[in-house]
């Protein structure tokens, strides 16, 4: 079973989750790949909806069992990964998969799936604005925000490895641009 996939990557706080949510409601053939993570749920997040929340031990057992297509220790001690079973589940329904993964995960998925994949990098207008959005989101402690901002510079340097770069300054414009990129990719 095979199909197409769309990869969204960006430094945390760029707005990719916001953009992906809007695209999912506009394009019914897209289905979100639910990642596994070893972090705790935050806010209203639910197991099996936002993520599969695993203990650190279970995450590594499943890595050893070869259940992940890709996984990364995105932040110190916190792992995230894409389960092979998610890809199979979505392609079996004939849907196109949409991924929200970190920058290295996005580059790896593109390397694995080649022309089957369309990779999109969501660029914040500036690092200052990124920090402002993370503070405004109010979901992370100040030290977590500091870690995410510190990583952003490296992540921005990887944007050229993606098929498309979309600047998320005005949200409506960014959604429109990504929507057009995806429609062209699905048609092609
Ligand atoms: P990410 O998934 O990349 O970490 P989010 O989608 O959670 O980012 O967005 C981070 C914060 O920035 C959220 O509070 C969101 O509402 C806000 N945001 C997203 N896009 C914009 C935008 N274009 N202008 C201003 N704020 C935005
Ligand atoms: P958050 O903790 O904010 O939900 O996510 C932190 C980071 O982990 C984000 O950049 C997100 O895209 C990334 N991430 C989520 N799922 C995966 C995954 O399956 N693989 C990889 N490599 N990164 C992921």
């Amino acid at each position: 079973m095979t199909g197409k996939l769309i990869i969204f990557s960006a430094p945390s706080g760029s707005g990719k989750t916001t953009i992906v949510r809007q695209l999912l409601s506009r394009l019914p053939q897209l289905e979100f790949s639910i990642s596994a993570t070893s972090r705790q749920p935050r806010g209203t997040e639910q197991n099996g909806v936002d993520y599969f929340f695993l203990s650190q031990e279970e995450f590594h057992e499943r890595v050893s069992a070869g259940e992940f297509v890709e996984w990364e220790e995105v932040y110190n001690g916190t792992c995230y990964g894409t389960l092979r079973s998610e890809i199979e589940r979505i392609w079996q329904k004939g849907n196109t998969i949409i991924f929200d993964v970190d920058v290295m995960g996005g580059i790896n998925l593109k390397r694995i799936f080649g022309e089957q994949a369309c990779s999109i990098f969501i660029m914040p207008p500036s690092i200052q604005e990124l920090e402002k959005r993370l503070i405004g989101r109010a979901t992370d402690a100040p030290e977590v925000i500091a870690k995410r901002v510190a990583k952003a510079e490296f992540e921005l340097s990887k944007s050229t490895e993606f098929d498309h770069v979309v600047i998320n300054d005005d949200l409506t414009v960014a959604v429109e641009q990504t929507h057009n990129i995806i429609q062209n990719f699905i048609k092609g």
Side-chain angles (χ1 to χ4, degrees):
M1 186 55 65
T2 165
K4 289 187 174 181
L5 42 97
I6 294 153
I7 302 158
F8 276 89
S9 298
S12 180
S14 304
K16 69 184 175 317
T17 307
T18 308
I19 293 170
V20 165
R21 285 212 181 113
Q22 292 204 19
L23 293 169
L24 284 166
S25 66
R26 283 169 67 165
L27 294 161
Q29 69 272 49
L30 298 185
E31 188 163 350
F32 185 66
S33 165
I34 303 166
S35 295
T37 181
S38 65
R39 79 155 164 75
Q40 297 290 316
R42 94 192 152 202
T44 57
E45 285 179 339
Q46 286 175 45
N47 188 36
V49 177
D50 301 280
Y51 281 108
F52 296 109
F53 293 100
L54 307 179
S55 66
Q56 194 73 255
E57 194 185 16
E58 194 184 348
F59 194 101
H60 286 292
E61 274 169 17
R62 295 177 76 165
V63 169
S64 302
E67 292 186 33
F68 287 99
V69 183
E70 65 78 34
W71 69 277
E72 295 284 329
E73 185 174 336
V74 177
Y75 301 104
N76 242 349
T78 310
C79 297
Y80 298 81
T82 304
L83 292 162
R84 291 181 197 284
S85 55
E86 266 302 280
I87 296 186
E88 284 303 315
R89 178 182 74 77
I90 298 171
W91 277 347
Q92 245 158 34
K93 291 158 84 178
N95 286 338
T96 295
I97 312 175
I98 193 159
F99 292 91
D100 174 339
V101 293
D102 89 309
V103 171
M104 293 318 294
I107 292 170
N108 285 335
L109 284 172
K110 177 66 190 179
R111 202 174 288 145
I112 294 165
F113 291 101
E115 293 302 300
Q116 274 173 278
C118 170
S119 63
I120 304 174
F121 188 96
I122 301 297
M123 176 85 83
S126 65
I127 298 216
Q128 288 79 357
E129 173 65 19
L130 184 82
E131 187 171 19
K132 208 171 119 194
R133 287 181 190 175
L134 285 171
I135 294 168
R137 189 170 72 184
T139 51
D140 299 290
E143 62 273 18
V144 175
I145 292 179
K147 263 200 223 174
R148 290 179 182 225
V149 172
K151 203 172 177 192
E153 206 137 345
F154 163 77
E155 293 171 319
L156 291 177
S157 75
K158 296 284 173 193
S159 65
T160 51
E161 298 195 32
F162 285 73
D163 295 328
H164 302 273
V165 176
V166 171
I167 299 171
N168 180 23
D169 189 357
D170 181 320
L171 181 62
T172 311
V173 173
V175 170
E176 211 46 51
Q177 286 176 345
T178 47
H179 182 261
N180 290 343
I181 291 168
I182 292 171
Q183 274 199 319
N184 285 332
F185 174 72
I186 291 175
K187 262 193 288 177

